[in-house]
Amino acid sequence: MLQKSIKNTNKKIIAVVKNNAYGHGIDIIGQVLIENGIQYFAVSNWEELAILKRLNPGCTVLLLKPITNEEIAMLKRYDNVILGVGNMLYFRKVIDILGSKARIALKYDTGLGRRGFLCDNNSINRICSILKKNNIRSVDVMSHLCGTYRRSD
């Protein structure tokens, strides 16, 4: 059923397999997802990234939580890794270490009070200025939505 669902869509699917695939085993779940055509994953930490890259070196992995300076520097050995960045200190650290090679997904707080940049003009202008100054071209945006989608009849 999974394979049929994946093949019947032209949308990119991000499999969120953080926290050891929610306790089910990232190596097992990751392998099943890869075998069924998933190429984009979101994880919590360096260890989960390494497991997925061992299973499929070409997959794209979004790291949702901050990693150490040493781990950031080691990202140079991997292709297709995107760092989730939700505060100015970590944002600057990533750019200082990776420079224009940084691939970033900016986290915005849209009302849940979770980690992320505030959605105000000052914050957005500062971020855009830093991205431009450092020639960062690979930028995504992500957030948790404030509410759930409910279909109205």
Side-chain angles (χ1 to χ4, degrees):
M1 183 185 314
L2 176 65
Q3 192 173 40
K4 184 178 178 183
S5 297
I6 293 169
K7 290 188 178 190
N8 288 337
T9 183
N10 61 353
K11 308 283 189 240
K12 285 190 177 181
I13 297 171
I14 301 173
V16 180
V17 291
K18 64 183 185 171
N19 303 322
N20 195 27
Y22 294 91
H24 297 288
I26 193 169
D27 50 345
I28 297 166
I29 300 300
Q31 187 63 47
V32 168
L33 292 168
I34 290 166
E35 288 170 2
N36 284 280
I38 299 295
Q39 293 294 311
Y40 199 150
F41 297 89
V43 299
S44 293
N45 58 52
W46 180 262
E47 292 79 19
E48 293 171 343
L49 163 74
I51 290 168
L52 289 171
K53 286 298 192 176
R54 188 180 71 243
L55 293 172
N56 180 0
C59 70
T60 300
V61 180
L62 168 62
L63 268 163
L64 296 169
K65 294 184 179 178
I67 56 176
T68 67
N69 292 4
E70 294 78 22
E71 291 167 337
I72 294 170
M74 288 191 300
L75 285 178
K76 295 174 184 176
R77 74 168 97 155
Y78 291 118
D79 290 326
N80 303 322
V81 176
I82 302 166
L83 295 175
V85 176
N87 67 63
M88 196 56 72
L89 181 65
Y90 188 56
F91 180 53
R92 290 185 183 276
K93 181 174 27 172
V94 167
I95 291 173
D96 286 346
I97 295 170
L98 295 177
S100 64
K101 296 189 185 291
R103 292 188 67 188
I104 295 171
L106 298 169
K107 293 182 189 178
Y108 279 93
D109 181 353
T110 57
L112 283 178
R114 294 186 176 190
R115 295 183 191 127
F117 292 103
L118 296 177
C119 293
D120 61 43
N121 286 338
N122 184 41
S123 175
I124 292 168
N125 289 337
R126 282 180 60 205
I127 290 166
C128 288
S129 174
I130 293 167
L131 291 170
K132 186 175 181 178
K133 178 182 171 191
N134 290 279
N135 200 28
I136 307 293
R137 301 230 182 261
S138 181
V139 179
D140 298 314
V141 176
M142 65 179 174
S143 181
H144 282 88
L145 299 176
C146 296
T148 59
Y149 172 77
R150 294 200 179 162
R151 186 177 175 173
S152 59
D153 294 321

